[in-house]
């Protein structure tokens, strides 16, 4: 017969046994992999999901080290990567690949403490997230494929537009060449003029492409935007329709900016012309405003592509109109090369404008509502306050070289035979003798043999075997005072780090004419006449 004390003890024992069985059933029913380890990384218990994943019976797991079964890949043998994190008070939640188990797991580890606050065991819960990971990788692959498709579409538009424009230009050139062959002598000049105009169109298209790529060489000067806006608009205004009125809001005394005056004028011209054309034949207003603008730290706005505008001081040029406005699709495509809503795409337009803005470290914001108008805001960074000028003590002018470069010898280096031929004719016309080389290595060999004859090196940038920069560096090791003129259809950026610090080097963009060449040679001649260096002292 059981007394009350015995009944209570039996009741508690049964309750504990029932609770233990329920806990064990729950522990084994959870689909996540669960195991408990002591401070020596020994597994003391594991649930059925863990055993099934390892291909073992639950009774075979206790006594094994966790790094032998679960963390064996990518960890230092004999260690558990999580206990150290817990002891240092850091969260032990990671997502990692367990290659031997063939999947990705989201793993969290929770410590168990004794009454003294010491870690006595760790509960590991590993959730298989392989399918989610595969879905994410698939989504990323699709996004990358879409981005690649969009890039290829944009490249196709760019290539098609360039081919269209260049084919038109080449048709003009070839057509006038054919007509010049059969023309009377007095008519040849007219054909040559048309060929020259077409060549200038091609050169302008190349400049636009460099602007689009943000690689056009910048002729940095201080620019008064107030003056530039008034001059450009004054030049354009006679061609505007009478119904379009202009409204100026130009804040007085805005700071000067640093930039390329010609390229900044192109921005103003593109924005104003687009605003006028957006109004069309209706009556409307183009508003042009200019003001200081400061972007405080931590409160940066965003440009048209969602990039944060760097904190700092800016001059803000805004051109707005109350014309037709743009749809969402047009806003998305407006910066694509050769895209136009007016007619078949021609030229790089706003894409070239965007390239110029980037090359000036500026930003652009665009707002537009279909049927209500558009507004473009350009942010030009203002340079730091100029330091007071310190007048240098005038040194006596050294004696000028006796030899006149325009009667000397030029080493012309270019891998294109036709360009060597054209360059030779042009330089001969300036009174210069010419020696030619097809790449930088041949140029060095010729210079070693005939350095006493050569007064100037005129060199292309991109050539096989040895390019212009490598040849320049080798020549500078031999002599610091030899004038070197780079001529290239690419931008100046590639050689700027060298020639900007070298008074005996310069850059001339292709295509060039005889007058531009003559002016550049005179500048180099003056630099050489004012310098007496003979040893290489330029960083190469």
């Amino acid at each position: 017969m059981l007394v009350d004390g015995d009944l209570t003890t039996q009741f508690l024992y049964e309750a504990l046994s029932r609770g233990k069985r329920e806990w064990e059933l729950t522990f084994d029913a959870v689909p996540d992999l669960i195991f408990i380890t002591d401070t020596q990384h020994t597994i003391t218990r594991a649930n059925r999901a863990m055993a099934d994943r390892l291909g073992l019976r639950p009774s075979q797991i206790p006594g094994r080290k966790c790094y032998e079964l679960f963390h064996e890949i990518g960890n230092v043998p004999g260690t558990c990567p999580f206990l150290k994190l817990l002891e240092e008070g850091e969260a032990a939640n990671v997502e990692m690949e367990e290659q031997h188990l063939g999947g990705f797991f989201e793993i969290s580890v929770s410590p168990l403490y004794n009454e003294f606050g010491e870690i006595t065991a760790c509960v590991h819960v590993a959730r298989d997230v392989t399918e989610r990971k595969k879905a994410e990788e698939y989504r990323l692959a699709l996004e990358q494929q879409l981005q690649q498709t969009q890039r290829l579409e944009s490249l196709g538009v760019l290539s098609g537009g360039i081919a269209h424009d260049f084919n038109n230009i080449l048709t003009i050139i070839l057509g006038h060449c054919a007509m010049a062959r059969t023309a009377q002598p007095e008519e040849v000049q007219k054909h040559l003029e048309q060929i020259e105009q077409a060549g200038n169109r091609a050169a302008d298209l190349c400049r636009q492409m460099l602007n689009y790529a943000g690689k056009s060489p910048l002729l940095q000067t201080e620019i008064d935007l107030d003056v530039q806006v008034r001059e450009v608009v004054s030049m354009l205004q006679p061609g505007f329709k009478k119904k379009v009125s202009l409204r100026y809001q130009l804040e007085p005394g805005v700071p000067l900016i640093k930039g390329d005056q010609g390229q900044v004028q192109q921005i103003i011209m593109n924005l104003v012309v687009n605003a006028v054309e957006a109004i069309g034949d209706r009556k409307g207003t183009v508003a042009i405003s200019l003001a200081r603008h400061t972007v405080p730290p931590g409160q940066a706005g965003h440009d048209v592509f969602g990039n944060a505008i760097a904190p700092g001081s800016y001059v803000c040029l805004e051109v707005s109109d109350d014309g037709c406005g743009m749809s969402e699709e047009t806003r998305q495509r407006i910066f694509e090369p050769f895209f136009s809503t007016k007619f078949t795409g021609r030229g790089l337009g706003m894409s070239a404008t965007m390239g110029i803005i980037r090359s000036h470290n500026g930003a652009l914001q665009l707002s537009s509502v279909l049927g209500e108008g558009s507004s473009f805001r350009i942010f030009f960074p203002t340079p730091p306050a100029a330091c007071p000028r310190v007048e240098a003590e005038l040194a006596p002018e050294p004696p000028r070289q006796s030899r006149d470069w325009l009667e000397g010898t030029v080493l012309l280096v270019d891998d294109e035979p036709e360009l060597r031929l054209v360059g030779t004719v042009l330089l001969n016309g300036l009174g210069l003798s010419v020696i030619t080389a097809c790449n930088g290595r041949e140029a060095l060999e010729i210079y070693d043999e005939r350095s006493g004859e050569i007064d100037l090196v005129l060199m292309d940038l991109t050539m096989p075997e040895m390019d212009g920069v490598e040849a320049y560096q080798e020549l500078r090791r031999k002599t610091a005072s030899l004038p070197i003129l780079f001529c290239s259809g690419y931008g100046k950026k590639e050689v700027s780090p060298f020639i900007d610090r070298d008074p005996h080097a310069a850059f001339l963009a292709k295509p060039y004419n005889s007058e531009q060449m003559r002016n550049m040679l005179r500048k180099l001649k003056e630099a050489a006449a004012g310098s007496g260096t003979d040893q290489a002292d330029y960083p190469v």
Side-chain angles (χ1 to χ4, degrees):
M1 179 176 181
L2 296 173
V3 298
D4 288 345
D6 293 333
L7 287 172
T8 301
T9 301
Q10 184 177 359
F11 176 78
L12 289 173
Y13 176 78
E14 291 176 353
L16 288 172
S17 298
R18 186 169 57 254
K20 183 174 180 295
R21 286 195 303 274
E22 289 175 352
W23 180 87
E24 288 175 343
L25 290 171
T26 302
F27 186 68
D28 282 332
V30 174
D32 294 338
L33 281 57
I34 305 175
F35 57 99
I36 302 171
T37 60
D38 61 19
T39 55
Q40 301 303 313
H41 320 308
T42 303
I43 299 175
T44 59
R45 190 174 187 87
N47 71 344
R48 185 168 296 279
M50 175 73 174
D52 291 344
R53 189 61 183 254
L54 294 172
L56 300 171
R57 294 192 301 274
S59 60
Q60 294 177 303
I61 296 177
R64 306 280 293 272
K65 299 293 185 180
C66 67
Y67 48 78
E68 295 174 354
L69 298 178
F70 196 75
H71 307 311
E72 66 178 7
I73 302 299
N75 295 294
V76 178
T79 66
C80 173
F82 300 104
L83 185 59
K84 191 171 188 302
L85 291 175
L86 293 172
E87 290 173 341
E88 293 174 353
E90 297 184 28
N93 297 291
V94 298
E95 187 175 289
M96 60 190 293
E97 183 180 9
E98 294 286 352
Q99 295 180 11
H100 61 299
L101 295 178
F104 286 87
F105 290 85
E106 189 177 82
I107 305 170
S108 63
V109 182
S110 304
L112 299 178
Y113 298 95
N114 61 15
E115 63 270 23
F116 303 108
E118 300 168 337
I119 296 177
T120 58
C122 296
V123 179
H124 300 245
V125 179
R127 175 166 295 175
D128 190 339
V129 293
T130 306
E131 291 304 317
R132 190 194 75 192
K133 195 76 175 177
K134 287 180 179 178
E136 288 178 357
E137 290 175 351
Y138 179 69
R139 178 180 57 79
L140 287 173
L142 285 179
E143 287 180 0
Q144 291 173 354
Q145 186 177 357
L146 177 61
Q147 290 170 0
Q148 177 68 8
T149 301
Q150 290 172 337
R151 281 194 292 268
L152 290 174
E153 287 177 356
S154 180
L155 183 60
V157 173
L158 176 62
S159 302
I162 292 170
H164 171 270
D165 277 16
F166 267 114
N167 279 332
N168 285 345
I169 292 167
L170 291 171
T171 301
I172 294 169
I173 292 172
L174 295 174
H176 280 284
C177 285
M179 289 187 284
R181 285 198 184 98
T182 58
Q184 299 298 319
E186 63 272 12
E187 295 176 344
V188 171
Q189 184 64 30
K190 179 183 69 175
H191 295 303
L192 291 175
E193 288 173 358
Q194 293 298 318
I195 291 171
E196 185 177 16
Q197 288 178 17
N200 288 332
R201 273 183 57 189
D204 184 60
L205 182 58
C206 288
R207 280 191 291 271
Q208 286 191 58
M209 286 188 285
L210 287 172
N211 289 340
Y212 168 67
K215 294 183 178 179
S216 182
L218 293 179
L219 302 176
Q220 292 277 0
T221 58
E222 288 189 335
I223 300 173
D224 188 335
L225 276 176
D226 187 302
V227 172
Q228 296 305 315
V229 167
R230 294 181 189 276
E231 286 184 354
V232 170
V233 176
S234 176
M235 177 185 69
L236 296 173
Q237 196 164 4
F240 294 164
K241 295 181 175 65
K242 301 290 185 183
K243 293 181 179 179
V244 176
S245 60
L246 294 170
R247 187 175 72 242
Y248 290 100
Q249 294 176 312
L250 306 181
E251 180 182 312
V254 294
L256 302 179
I257 66 166
K258 279 269 191 180
D260 186 305
Q261 182 171 308
Q263 293 188 13
V264 171
Q265 287 175 342
Q266 185 178 337
I267 292 175
I268 299 168
M269 189 179 302
N270 284 352
L271 294 181
V272 173
V273 169
N274 283 348
V276 171
E277 290 181 345
I279 294 172
D281 295 326
R282 299 181 293 113
K283 189 174 183 179
T285 302
V286 174
I288 305 169
S289 67
L290 197 62
R292 294 180 179 87
H293 186 86
T294 301
V295 177
Q299 301 180 31
H302 293 83
D303 67 9
V304 68
F305 300 110
N307 303 313
I309 301 175
S313 299
Y314 296 86
V315 175
C316 180
L317 168 67
E318 182 171 1
V319 178
S320 58
D321 64 77
D322 53 6
C324 61
M326 288 180 274
S327 65
E328 179 61 29
E329 180 186 0
T330 300
R331 285 199 299 273
Q332 293 290 331
R333 299 192 60 194
I334 189 172
F335 297 104
E336 291 182 14
F338 291 91
F339 175 75
S340 174
T341 59
K342 295 171 283 190
F343 39 74
T344 303
R346 186 183 70 200
L348 283 90
M350 287 304 300
S351 58
T353 298
M354 196 66 241
I356 296 172
I357 292 169
R358 285 196 181 114
S359 67
H360 284 75
N361 298 316
L364 181 145
Q365 291 180 335
L366 164 64
S367 60
S368 184
V369 178
L370 191 62
E372 296 183 17
S374 304
S375 177
F376 291 83
R377 300 182 76 201
I378 315 295
F379 295 85
F380 292 101
T382 57
C387 298
R389 294 184 181 179
V390 179
E391 296 296 333
E393 184 178 346
L394 293 177
E397 185 177 352
R400 292 181 175 271
Q401 293 182 356
S402 58
R403 197 167 185 178
D404 187 344
W405 287 10
L406 296 185
E407 296 176 355
T409 300
V410 176
L411 174 57
L412 173 61
V413 191
D414 202 300
D415 60 318
E416 291 279 353
E418 289 300 320
L419 290 178
R420 292 199 297 273
L421 175 61
V422 171
T424 299
V425 172
L426 187 149
L427 291 166
N428 287 159
L430 295 175
L432 293 154
S433 300
V434 178
I435 304 169
T436 62
C438 65
N439 58 55
R441 194 170 303 285
E442 184 180 356
L444 291 174
E445 293 171 358
I446 292 172
Y447 184 79
D448 286 341
E449 295 173 3
R450 307 173 64 177
S451 59
E453 302 174 46
I454 296 170
D455 300 286
L456 168 75
V457 176
L458 192 154
M459 187 156 50
D460 189 20
L461 263 181
T462 53
M463 296 176 290
E465 292 194 38
M466 180 181 283
D467 64 22
V469 172
E470 293 174 301
Y472 166 85
Q473 291 173 328
E474 290 298 322
L475 286 169
R476 276 292 169 258
R477 290 187 180 99
K478 300 173 186 293
T479 173
S481 57
L482 175 68
I484 299 175
L485 176 60
F486 285 102
C487 294
S488 176
Y490 291 98
K492 181 185 173 185
K493 285 187 177 180
E494 192 171 341
V495 293
S496 283
F498 307 104
I499 68 174
D500 287 350
R501 294 172 287 173
D502 185 348
H504 299 292
F507 179 88
L508 181 62
K510 293 178 181 176
Y512 49 81
N513 56 39
S514 59
E515 191 59 33
Q516 290 170 328
M517 177 63 74
R518 185 192 303 274
N519 291 337
M520 188 59 71
L521 294 180
R522 282 178 175 162
K523 288 180 181 177
L524 280 171
K525 178 181 178 182
E526 290 168 3
S531 172
T533 42
D534 292 318
Q535 302 300 318
D537 57 356
Y538 305 108
V540 295

